[in-house]
Amino acid sequence: MSLVATGVSKDYPTRMGPLSVLRNVNVSLNRGDALAVMGPSGSGKSTFLHMLGTLDTPTAGSITLEGTNPFTLPERELAAFRNRRIGFVFQDHHLLPQCSVLENVLVPTLVSRDTQPAETEAYARQLLERVGLGGRLDHRPAELSGGERQRVAVARALVLKPVLLLADEPTGNLDRKNATAVGELLMELHRQENNILVVVTHSPELAKLLPKQVEVNDGTLVTS
Ligand code: ADP
Ligand code: MG
């Protein structure tokens, strides 16, 4: 298995003592797998996704991605691992307003000390073509609609060909039509890239686009 979470628990320290958010969560996913994570607000969906994405550390248990436990890596190596192996799409697009669409998609490649910038730029252009924005490369984010901005964010998440693509409420700010379009786009690119896709969503319509669904319920994952 490419992504394995074993016995993962998360407590947050609070003034009232530890807050137990997740308990003994287990997940195994391979390339080509796509999982929707549902559950009420505050149930721990983002916490779970952040741990899969190495942005937060489990209190107990282990997570490995392609055989590496990222939490054992020194900080610099962890940052490089995250940059190279994991793509993120958030509810807010987090595009840089002063940069063009193409420059935004290339942002992850600045960190990775790209050795083949011409090839990477060609790939970024190709991705923008695939998300339907090939004609908007020089536009600024402010010149795009909400759905278009989120499609740029999807292209940016994929530019370094991550094995793991994580999306936290990626359609939460979009109207129904754009939400469906972004959901279908995520699935299409996931199939083409043969990566692992994990999408947190409130939306049953979006969840249904993914072949597997789980619900975070009282700190554990329940197959729904
Ligand atoms: P969801 O994404 O399902 O809405 P979250 O994972 O964001 O839920 O949060 C789960 C629970 O953990 C909530 O009760 C939230 O208040 C709490 N929580 C999240 N982050 C922190 C933190 N850094 N410190 C303390 N509690 C937190
Ligand atoms: Mg959340």
Side-chain angles (χ1 to χ4, degrees):
M1 286 287 171
S2 285
L3 174 65
V4 183
T6 312
V8 168
S9 299
K10 181 67 183 179
D11 299 346
Y12 285 114
T14 71
R15 273 172 299 162
M16 270 95 85
L19 172 72
S20 169
V21 176
L22 295 170
R23 287 177 289 282
N24 193 27
V25 169
N26 300 291
V27 164
S28 296
L29 297 168
N30 260 323
R31 275 187 178 271
D33 288 338
L35 177 72
V37 180
M38 308 273 292
S41 182
S43 58
K45 302 182 297 298
S46 293
T47 298
F48 177 57
L49 206 75
H50 291 166
M51 290 193 292
L52 293 182
T54 75
L55 297 171
D56 202 350
T57 317
T59 312
S62 79
I63 295 174
T64 60
L65 182 61
E66 296 195 308
T68 300
N69 176 348
F71 302 107
T72 63
L73 299 173
E75 203 170 319
R76 279 180 76 96
E77 282 177 44
L78 174 61
F81 179 92
R82 186 187 300 130
N83 175 243
R84 280 267 158 205
R85 309 285 190 93
I86 306 172
F88 295 92
V89 179
F90 298 100
Q91 179 165 350
D92 299 311
H93 51 82
H94 294 297
L95 298 177
L96 300 174
Q98 70 278 28
C99 292
S100 71
V101 161
L102 179 61
E103 286 165 347
N104 266 287
V105 172
L106 288 168
V107 162
T109 72
L110 303 177
V111 183
S112 68
R113 285 198 228 109
D114 195 359
T115 52
Q116 294 176 309
E119 279 83 349
T120 312
E121 184 177 325
Y123 187 59
R125 288 172 182 272
Q126 190 214 97
L127 276 171
L128 282 163
E129 200 71 50
R130 285 156 74 190
V131 303
L133 294 170
R136 313 294 291 274
L137 301 183
D138 296 326
H139 288 225
R140 298 280 177 278
E143 296 164 336
L144 304 179
S145 71
E148 288 165 345
R149 283 179 207 141
Q150 204 57 324
R151 287 191 267 146
V152 177
V154 171
R156 180 185 52 190
L158 289 171
V159 74
L160 290 174
K161 303 185 179 171
V163 59
L164 177 60
L165 178 58
L166 301 174
D168 195 350
E169 306 278 7
T171 64
N173 288 348
L174 303 178
D175 61 37
R176 214 192 177 94
K177 190 161 157 264
N178 278 298
T180 304
V182 166
E184 286 173 351
L185 179 70
L186 278 170
M187 272 308 291
E188 185 185 324
L189 291 166
H190 152 70
R191 285 198 206 95
Q192 291 167 355
E193 299 299 305
N194 196 37
N195 55 24
I196 303 167
L197 173 65
V198 182
V199 179
V200 162
T201 182
H202 269 103
S203 156
E205 288 87 7
L206 175 57
K208 266 187 252 150
L209 296 177
L210 283 82
K212 294 185 195 174
Q213 291 110 26
V214 291
E215 201 166 318
V216 183
N217 198 321
D218 197 22
T220 62
L221 286 197
V222 185
T223 305
S224 51

